[in-house]
Amino acid sequence: MTLVGKRHVDKAADVLTIFGISGDLAKKMTFRALYRMEVSGALKIPVVGVALDDWDDEALRKHAREAVESTVKEIDGMALEAMLARLSYVQGDYGDDATFERVKEALGGAEQPVFYLEIPPSLFATVVKGLGKAGLVDHAHVVIEKPFGHDLESARALNAELREVLEEEQILRIDHYLGKEPVLDITYLRFANSILEPIWNRNYIAHVQMTIAEDFGVDDRGRFYDSVGAMRDVIQNHALQVLGLIGMEPPSRNDHDSIRDQKLDFFKAMRIADPRHYVRGQYDGFLEVKDVAPDSTTETFAAVELEVDNWRWSGVPFFVRAGKNLPHKTSEVTAVFKRPPLLGIGHGKTPEPNRMTFRIEPEPGAQMRMFQKRAQGDDSFEPADMTVLFEEEPGCDPEPYERLLGDALHGNHTLFTRQDAIEETWRVVQPLLDDPGPVHPYKPGTWGPAEANSLVNGVTHWADPWLPEA
Ligand code: BG6
């Protein structure tokens, strides 16, 4: 049972209401997730879509069918029909009380609604207040899409507005990275293997590096992306949440808060970032993207060094880079161990350091790079990689939105970000937002501006990502 102030949210949801059902995220992700939930038997309740568009139930179903057809390869026709039959539509302006009265009517006698807000952030508070005024939130959970604020102050202000109507336990803040199976695997690999724990600290690890790279540009998201940039779009949230799992202490109980408490402690120990250790880049051609300001200085690439002041991590730099139009679509985090000393083997050469990589995509997996004697008589070293591919091992399903929506329907908070962690992560990056420094141009298809290499100079070089075998 989830305690919500004096309210009790003790049953699974009996209706899912999606604000922003006609938007891009719904088209690309939500209908696919709903369809997959229908196939797996996880979707058993009505789904009410709300938007401004002049649609009716049939128009929504047509749109949903097209969205599923364009995102799912082999469709189970019966499951698709069953999912479509759950959909109904409420048209309305979010600023108008009458919209919420119509939503109330559409919910019928539902007692435990989940409201999913996939709408522009400027409308989050308006919708939550509208729901409150219509008396719809007493036993509700409200799922809020990212971004949650655009800096520390706005995240606090947004939260204060939501809290006028909702208890913290009713707010489920989405970071879809936390719903990725390989991200969940990080915690299991770290803590279910006793050989890792003794070496997972500053005595053995020299530095950590993380890359979130995409091999495409901003495409049709110019307006949104120009107002955020790489730091706000993926580093403050996705990258830091993953580093939280890499760096946290083991959770002590299997409840909604243990992992979130441990990540929070890790974030609290993170120093505020230093703008001198921050590099921003912008790919050539970004200024020509539709809806991007012609003189925009928004970064499409960011690289930063972060530091953590605690017993486990003091003195271990965490280097993070993320960007659009880089050479590959890949997302990984690597712990690089200390170099072995010069040895009386291997032709007087020092072996390279070991590294342990968690690959989130493509082909999720983990790899420990060891070294062995080169085969056939040569006395030098060569890499000997120990690799686990999660697709063959723990498996890759369910997909992030499918998992997170399913968790929301059961009031399971574990994979949603709490306000305290959101504030800590904004605290860490705030100096970079206040003093972003220049933005350096880079050519699409390269690893960002050359300045990103200076960031790691003297400590390491950015490792080539671990890519699937061709
Ligand atoms: C989103 C960002 O949160 O994450 C996008 O807004 C980015 O810009 C996306 O492309 C990356 O997610 P994934 O799951 O494709 O790695």
Side-chain angles (χ1 to χ4, degrees):
M1 176 169 74
T2 307
L3 272 185
V4 178
K6 293 190 199 79
R7 308 159 186 156
H8 292 181
V9 180
D10 53 2
K11 288 184 289 189
D14 48 8
V15 63
L16 169 64
T17 302
I18 303 176
F19 285 81
I21 196 77
S22 62
D24 207 41
L25 185 62
K27 190 163 150 191
K28 290 188 178 139
M29 299 285 180
T30 316
F31 292 117
R32 175 184 168 92
L34 294 175
Y35 163 78
R36 288 177 59 97
M37 289 165 77
E38 183 74 55
V39 171
S40 72
L43 187 65
K44 298 190 171 75
I45 55 177
V47 179
V48 178
V50 190
L52 186 58
D53 301 60
D54 192 13
W55 290 0
D56 57 13
D57 295 353
E58 275 323 301
L60 171 60
R61 290 188 186 131
K62 181 168 177 283
H63 179 81
R65 180 189 296 280
E66 285 164 8
V68 173
E69 284 169 354
S70 65
T71 52
V72 178
K73 272 199 197 124
E74 282 171 28
I75 296 177
D76 170 341
M78 283 203 358
L80 177 57
E81 294 311 320
M83 187 277 268
L84 296 177
R86 295 184 191 283
L87 300 178
S88 63
Y89 186 68
V90 171
Q91 188 275 335
D93 184 323
Y94 305 144
D96 181 358
D97 291 351
T99 303
F100 297 91
E101 289 307 320
R102 286 200 292 279
V103 169
K104 190 174 189 169
E105 221 170 278
L107 299 194
E111 288 171 357
Q112 303 258 148
V114 166
F115 298 106
Y116 176 25
L117 275 43
E118 41 178 304
I119 53 179
S122 56
L123 296 171
F124 290 155
T126 311
V127 168
V128 167
K129 285 178 187 170
L131 292 171
K133 217 163 154 191
L136 291 172
V137 297
D138 273 1
H139 303 281
H141 278 110
V142 180
V143 182
I144 310 265
E145 259 303 330
K146 76 174 256 283
F148 199 91
H150 59 268
D151 58 10
L152 179 56
E153 203 183 313
S154 59
R156 282 187 177 145
L158 169 60
N159 195 53
E161 285 200 277
L162 301 184
R163 290 297 307 279
E164 284 174 24
V165 180
L166 302 167
E167 304 290 340
E168 166 66 22
E169 290 80 359
Q170 290 180 281
I171 307 172
L172 302 173
R173 301 174 191 81
I174 283 215
D175 182 317
H176 80 279
Y177 254 62
L178 294 178
K180 287 180 187 257
E181 183 79 11
V183 171
L184 292 166
D185 281 323
I186 292 173
T187 310
Y188 282 77
L189 277 172
R190 270 197 64 198
F191 297 122
N193 294 293
S194 55
I195 55 165
L196 280 184
E197 177 54 23
I199 59 171
W200 206 254
N201 56 52
R202 63 193 173 116
N203 299 326
Y204 291 89
I205 293 179
H207 72 273
V208 174
Q209 45 176 286
M210 174 164 196
T211 296
I212 300 183
E214 291 175 313
D215 57 358
F216 45 85
V218 168
D219 299 337
D220 54 357
R221 297 169 75 220
R223 185 185 308 275
F224 163 75
Y225 198 87
D226 196 21
S227 69
V228 291
M231 175 55 64
R232 289 182 170 97
D233 189 39
V234 294
I235 295 188
Q236 176 269 337
N237 36 64
H238 305 330
L240 286 184
Q241 288 295 330
V242 171
L243 291 183
L245 297 170
I246 291 286
M248 70 180 185
E249 298 305 311
S252 33
R253 280 205 312 225
N254 187 8
D255 60 19
H256 291 181
D257 274 317
S258 282
I259 289 186
R260 301 194 301 176
D261 286 344
Q262 299 297 21
K263 275 195 298 179
L264 177 69
D265 256 10
F266 175 79
F267 297 142
K268 281 181 173 169
M270 236 181 209
R271 275 189 215 170
I272 54 167
D274 182 343
R276 289 171 303 176
H277 300 152
Y278 178 43
V279 173
R280 299 192 310 132
Q282 187 186 80
Y283 67 78
D284 295 341
F286 177 67
L287 298 181
E288 280 82 64
V289 174
K290 186 167 170 287
D291 295 329
V292 168
D295 55 353
S296 168
T297 57
T298 297
E299 77 282 355
T300 59
F301 172 94
V304 64
E305 176 180 350
L306 299 168
E307 289 175 274
V308 182
D309 290 317
N310 63 17
W311 271 102
R312 196 185 278 271
W313 296 116
S314 174
V316 179
F318 284 70
F319 297 110
V320 183
R321 63 177 173 171
K324 302 272 184 199
N325 262 337
L326 302 185
H328 305 283
K329 167 116 175 92
T330 175
S331 176
E332 64 172 41
V333 53
T334 296
V336 180
F337 290 85
K338 290 188 174 170
R339 221 172 233 280
L342 181 62
L343 300 168
I345 55 173
H347 278 322
K349 289 221 174 88
T350 317
E352 289 292 307
N354 299 118
R355 345 189 261 253
M356 168 114 195
T357 300
F358 297 94
R359 184 166 69 198
I360 298 164
E361 65 184 309
E363 263 187 38
Q367 184 178 73
M368 177 66 96
R369 167 148 291 190
M370 316 275 282
F371 289 89
Q372 64 182 17
K373 179 181 166 303
R374 189 179 292 282
Q376 286 153 9
D378 187 337
D379 280 349
S380 56
F381 304 104
E382 72 176 2
D385 294 334
M386 295 164 64
T387 302
V388 190
L389 292 180
F390 298 155
E391 253 168 61
E392 289 164 14
E393 301 296 332
C396 275
D397 281 342
E399 293 180 352
Y401 275 99
E402 190 186 341
R403 179 194 302 277
L404 293 173
L405 282 179
D407 281 1
L409 296 183
H410 287 95
N412 182 356
H413 293 230
T414 312
L415 300 180
F416 295 91
T417 41
R418 253 178 9 205
Q419 178 65 12
D420 47 12
I422 297 253
E423 289 189 17
E424 284 300 325
T425 49
W426 280 122
R427 175 191 64 80
V428 170
V429 305
Q430 188 64 49
L432 312 177
L433 308 176
D434 295 340
D435 182 9
V439 67
H440 306 280
Y442 64 95
K443 296 218 170 329
T446 65
W447 283 108
E451 285 76 1
N453 296 327
S454 329
L455 185 81
V456 295
N457 261 354
V459 182
T460 183
H461 54 88
W462 293 105
D464 289 337
W466 165 38
L467 295 172
E469 314 228 323

